[in-house]
Amino acid sequence: MAVVADLIEHGSNDAAALAALVRDIEKNGVLKLDRLKPALMQYIAALIGADADETPETSPSKAMTFAEFFESCFEIGTGWLGWTPEATWNATPGEIIAAQRGLIAKLKAIHGSTEDEPTYDPREDVSESEVLSGIAKLKANARRGKH
């Protein structure tokens, strides 16, 4: 009960929510708290940056403990993003995940990705005119200083 009350007290901007919960418990008993479980789980998911309404685009990952999740966030913040430990610990998991998505998008924009692979098959035969045209483009780019 104390954990539920603490979650509501610290996580709600509605001061009347805790009082309403206490009144409800007095009226219906603690066994009726089970109906709060979905809302509390959604709240906990929000604390770690998860969106309960969002359907994952990839297959579900393996389950992890909160300790493993926060260690993973720390690895992303300090490793991938190059943030200091202090900056990483002061960021929310949602901010860390959003920053990682931004970094990945930046890297894809700079270096390309497998999604940007050409639609042609490099093993196909190339006509002599296509080869000559390609060489001419390379020469023109070299004259302009492009590599």
Side-chain angles (χ1 to χ4, degrees):
M1 172 59 199
V3 172
V4 173
D6 286 347
L7 281 172
I8 293 171
E9 181 181 20
H10 295 290
S12 175
N13 58 4
D14 181 2
L18 185 57
L21 174 67
V22 171
R23 280 193 308 274
D24 189 49
I25 292 170
E26 288 171 353
K27 180 179 176 187
N28 300 311
V30 293
L31 295 179
K32 298 287 184 179
L33 286 178
D34 193 46
R35 62 192 164 87
L36 293 177
K37 187 176 178 180
L40 291 172
M41 292 305 292
Q42 185 175 14
Y43 177 72
I44 291 170
L47 289 175
I48 62 169
D51 183 355
D53 297 329
E54 187 175 300
T55 304
E57 294 176 12
T58 60
S59 60
S61 58
K62 72 173 187 78
M64 64 173 59
T65 66
F66 278 108
E68 292 169 332
F69 174 76
F70 288 113
E71 183 178 342
S72 173
C73 286
F74 188 79
E75 289 172 357
I76 292 168
T78 58
W80 279 70
L81 302 172
W83 294 354
T84 65
E86 180 182 7
T88 303
W89 285 125
N90 286 322
T92 66
E95 290 168 335
I96 293 170
I97 293 166
Q100 182 192 35
R101 277 196 312 263
L103 175 63
I104 291 170
K106 175 184 171 183
L107 293 172
K108 283 181 178 180
I110 293 170
H111 302 290
S113 72
T114 56
E115 298 159 2
D116 299 333
E117 296 277 326
T119 56
Y120 65 87
D121 183 353
R123 297 170 291 191
E124 286 181 4
D125 288 333
V126 181
S127 70
E128 185 177 337
S129 64
E130 290 174 311
V131 170
L132 293 173
S133 172
I135 291 172
K137 287 179 186 176
L138 288 172
K139 286 181 179 179
N141 285 340
R143 277 181 258 152
R144 283 185 266 145
K146 292 184 177 180
H147 297 27

